[in-house]
């Protein structure tokens, strides 16, 4: 199972590059090992072109390295904190994607003015507190904001995007969608004031997307 997750997490990093969510070696994906108090995460400072399944690092839920020849991501403590306190989370992603990070730099949530936002996020994309990298302060902010919130994404003030999901793939999808709507809402605000969506309609859109949309057997 760990080897399969190493391959999956390694491959998902290519999606961050594909969707222009990262630059140089910034950003990371992690995935929880099912049934174990372990997760797999990107090594620190390694080029995306050089990532392999073998270079992924296995850590326990305190962020200690269990397997791997590299030092883990500088965000490992944040990921570990999320996994310890949100047992439903199977994947965590961090990016500095341009438009979403611009909202984070302003300390401003992205308002729910698109049906795609209602579908995926169930409302606005919230802002988390400013926190320094290296310890678990970022993880604490993520958990504080997203616990009980429908959004799988949070904009950490002056920093960037963190997303969660039932799997690493789901967290990557949330990161892709977060940047997409951040860009669209930004452009909309250059043209005028975006129109909010009524809460009842947001609720109906979210329920439809989460429970009806798509091929149910494959979700």
């Amino acid at each position: 199972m760990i080897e399969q997750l190493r391959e999956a997490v390694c491959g998902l990093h290519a999606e961050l590059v594909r969707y222009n969510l990262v630059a140089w070696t910034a950003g990371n994906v992690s995935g929880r090992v099912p049934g174990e108090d372990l997760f797999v995460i990107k090594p620190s400072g390694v080029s995306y072109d050089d990532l392999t399944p073998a270079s992924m690092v296995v850590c326990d839920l305190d962020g200690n390295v269990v397997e791997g020849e590299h030092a883990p991501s500088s965000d490992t403590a944040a990921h570990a904190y999320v996994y310890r306190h949100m047992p439903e989370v199977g994947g965590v992603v961090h990016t500095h994607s341009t438009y979403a990070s611009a909202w984070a730099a302003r300390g401003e949530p992205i308002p729910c003015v698109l049906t795609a936002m209602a579908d995926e996020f169930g409302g606005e994309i919230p802002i988390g507190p400013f926190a320094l990298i290296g310890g678990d302060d970022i993880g604490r902010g993520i958990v504080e904001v997203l616990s009980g919130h429908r959004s799988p994404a949070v904009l950490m003030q002056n920093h960037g995007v963190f997303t969660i999901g039932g799997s690493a793939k789901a967290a990557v999808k949330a990161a892709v969608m977060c940047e997409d709507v951040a860009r669209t809402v930004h452009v909309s605000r250059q043209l005028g004031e975006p129109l909010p969506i009524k809460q009842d309609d947001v609720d109906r859109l979210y329920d439809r997307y989460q429970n009806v949309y798509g091929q149910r057997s494959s979700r």
Side-chain angles (χ1 to χ4, degrees), residues 37-51:
D37 289 335
L38 301 170
F39 65 97
V40 173
I41 194 168
K42 175 181 176 286
S44 178
V46 176
S47 168
Y48 281 83
D49 290 338
D50 295 331
L51 293 180

Side-chain angles (χ1 to χ4, degrees), residues 79-110:
H79 289 241
Y81 189 91
V82 172
Y83 288 126
R84 288 199 307 274
H85 292 85
M86 302 182 81
E88 73 278 12
V89 170
V92 179
V93 171
H94 173 48
T95 78
H96 299 155
S97 59
T98 302
Y99 285 88
S101 295
W103 288 86
R106 293 196 300 265
E108 184 177 356
I110 305 174

